[in-house]
Amino acid sequence: MTEPARRRPGRRPGSADTRGEILAAARRVFAEKGFDKATVRGIAREAQVDPALVHHYFDTKAGMFAAAMQLPITPQQILPLVVEGPREQLAERLVRLILRVTAAPETREPLVALIRSAMTNEQAAAMFREFITNALLFQVADRLEVPHLRIEAAFGQMIGVVLARYVLRLEPIASASEDELVELLAPTIQRYFSV
Amino acid sequence: MTEPARRRPGRRPGSADTRGEILAAARRVFAEKGFDKATVRGIAREAQVDPALVHHYFDTKAGMFAAAMQLPITPQQILPLVVEGPREQLAERLVRLILRVTAAPETREPLVALIRSAMTNEQAAAMFREFITNALLFQVADRLEVPHLRIEAAFGQMIGVVLARYVLRLEPIASASEDELVELLAPTIQRYFSV
């Protein structure tokens, strides 16, 4: 399926350019096929590189998605942070992690951009839906043996707070300290995770 | 400030057309000045009608905002529903009300449209922020003597659930029954309101 004629002259596999082209191809394939149906092989074909090279750059499809969307953190990084450590402090760890990742504009903006497109475009919504459930929420839920509905209620709480704090910038939640919000929100999340 | 020359010929005060023109004027004024700085007098001037006529159609500025944005329910209608009745069932009443208002596309869409514009446009965000806090959230919080931060945490929970259920359409939360969601969410809201 590769068509060498379409390759740019002088590009070597493994160059910085190759990584960028894989990510551009990934964005096209994810947008077209969604997260579930996109494959590493299909993205490699779109980028006209060997699938092994895609694997060399990106461990998993979820990691490639996170890189393509410039997300500040991958599901592979989130999972151990949440799952490891005392279960009774799980909610606090999770709330702090989300508040920290969203505190800086450069790590928050790609996330907000993804939600924004999901709100305005059904194709983007499908892509986001498949990624967030299959690559993140259900992974966390299954490790913790929490029903999927409960993790989505927790997701609703946190995405709503991020929206109110950073996008709508409602006061006083926009100026509340991390500790204040942890005190307020962690018991909610902990309850959803206690079954 | 009125310029009779700009009036449409043959339009009579009190006609259906007048109401529509007041709402169109209200949308322009709210978009330009935000909710707080917009006045009934300024909207009347923009619509070239007597302020008394605006008051005749719309009791309050919040009511006019709700009508202009085609919101399914006004703060004046929400407040008694939430505040009246046993305090220990307050959260359940509120969660059911929000789930019912957002269940039908025709009542949900104007709300989602408002959030969507607030996410993509700073002027719309300011307008939404001022309306939602001053006309709704702080009114509820002050009647119930709940700190503003706590009502915004509750708002975050509910807006996040509406987003996950209807916009992102995550499963299983998109297909969950009203009762399942009330059971899951009401204790969260009740806790925010218990101080």
Side-chain angles (χ1 to χ4, degrees), chain A residues 51-119:
Chain A
L53 194 62
V54 177
H55 279 298
H56 162 77
Y57 281 118
F58 309 100
D59 263 358
T60 61
K61 187 165 77 166
M64 187 157 46
F65 183 90
M69 303 300 153
Q70 302 184 288
L71 300 186
I73 193 166
T74 68
Q76 284 77 12
Q77 293 169 308
I78 296 174
L79 272 177
L81 292 175
V82 174
V83 175
E84 287 163 21
R87 174 101 183 199
E88 67 276 14
Q89 290 158 18
L90 192 158
E92 178 173 342
R93 286 197 301 278
L94 184 61
V95 172
R96 280 197 195 279
L97 176 67
I98 293 169
L99 291 175
R100 282 174 192 177
V101 165
T102 55
E106 61 272 23
T107 48
R108 178 177 68 244
E109 245 338 289
L111 278 171
V112 172
L114 204 59
I115 300 168
R116 196 179 276 133
S117 355
M119 286 196 71

Side-chain angles (χ1 to χ4, degrees), chain B residues 70-166:
Chain B
Q70 302 183 288
L71 299 187
I73 192 166
T74 67
Q76 283 76 11
Q77 293 169 308
I78 296 174
L79 271 176
L81 291 174
V82 174
V83 174
E84 287 163 20
R87 174 101 184 200
E88 67 276 14
Q89 290 158 19
L90 192 157
E92 179 173 341
R93 286 197 302 278
L94 184 62
V95 172
R96 282 199 195 278
L97 175 68
I98 293 169
L99 291 175
R100 282 173 193 179
V101 165
T102 55
E106 60 274 23
T107 48
R108 178 177 68 246
E109 243 341 285
L111 279 171
V112 172
L114 204 59
I115 299 168
R116 195 179 277 133
S117 352
M119 286 196 71
T120 48
N121 174 318
E122 174 46 35
Q123 216 176 18
M127 185 179 78
F128 183 74
R129 171 167 60 240
E130 292 167 3
F131 169 72
I132 203 77
T133 51
N134 293 334
L136 186 59
L137 298 180
F138 294 172
Q139 303 288 332
V140 174
D142 294 349
R143 300 273 190 106
L144 300 171
E145 298 186 327
V146 167
H148 291 179
L149 183 61
R150 289 182 156 255
I151 192 136
E152 291 182 355
F155 168 78
Q157 173 71 82
M158 294 312 299
I159 202 176
V161 163
V162 168
L163 211 71
R165 182 169 164 88
Y166 292 114

Side-chain angles (χ1 to χ4, degrees), chain A residues 115-116 118-120 122 128-129 132-133 137-138 148-150 152-153 155-157 159-161 163 167-173 176 180 183-185 187-188 191-192, chain B residues 115-116 118-120 122 128-129 132-133 137-138 148-150 152-153 155-157 159-161 163 167-173 176 180 183-185 187-188 191-192:
Chain A
I115 300 168
R116 196 179 276 133
M119 286 196 71
T120 49
E122 174 45 38
F128 183 73
R129 173 166 59 240
I132 203 77
T133 50
L137 298 180
F138 294 172
H148 290 181
L149 182 61
R150 289 182 155 257
E152 291 182 356
F155 169 77
Q157 173 72 82
I159 201 176
V161 163
L163 211 70
V167 181
L168 303 175
R169 294 206 306 283
L170 304 189
E171 290 296 354
I173 207 169
E180 269 181 290
E183 196 188 325
L184 198 55
L185 303 170
T188 296
R191 184 183 142 259
Y192 291 140
Chain B
I115 299 168
R116 195 179 277 133
M119 286 196 71
T120 48
E122 174 46 35
F128 183 74
R129 171 167 60 240
I132 203 77
T133 51
L137 298 180
F138 294 172
H148 291 179
L149 183 61
R150 289 182 156 255
E152 291 182 355
F155 168 78
Q157 173 71 82
I159 202 176
V161 163
L163 211 71
V167 182
L168 303 175
R169 294 205 305 280
L170 304 189
E171 289 296 353
I173 206 168
E180 268 182 291
E183 196 189 324
L184 199 55
L185 302 171
T188 297
R191 184 184 142 258
Y192 291 141

Side-chain angles (χ1 to χ4, degrees), chain B residues 7-22 47-50 53 56-57:
Chain B
R7 288 202 186 203
R8 296 200 188 153
R11 184 161 62 76
R12 286 167 307 139
S15 71
D17 187 42
T18 306
R19 188 178 186 277
E21 290 192 19
I22 293 171
Q48 304 188 39
V49 299
D50 193 277
L53 193 63
H56 163 76
Y57 281 118

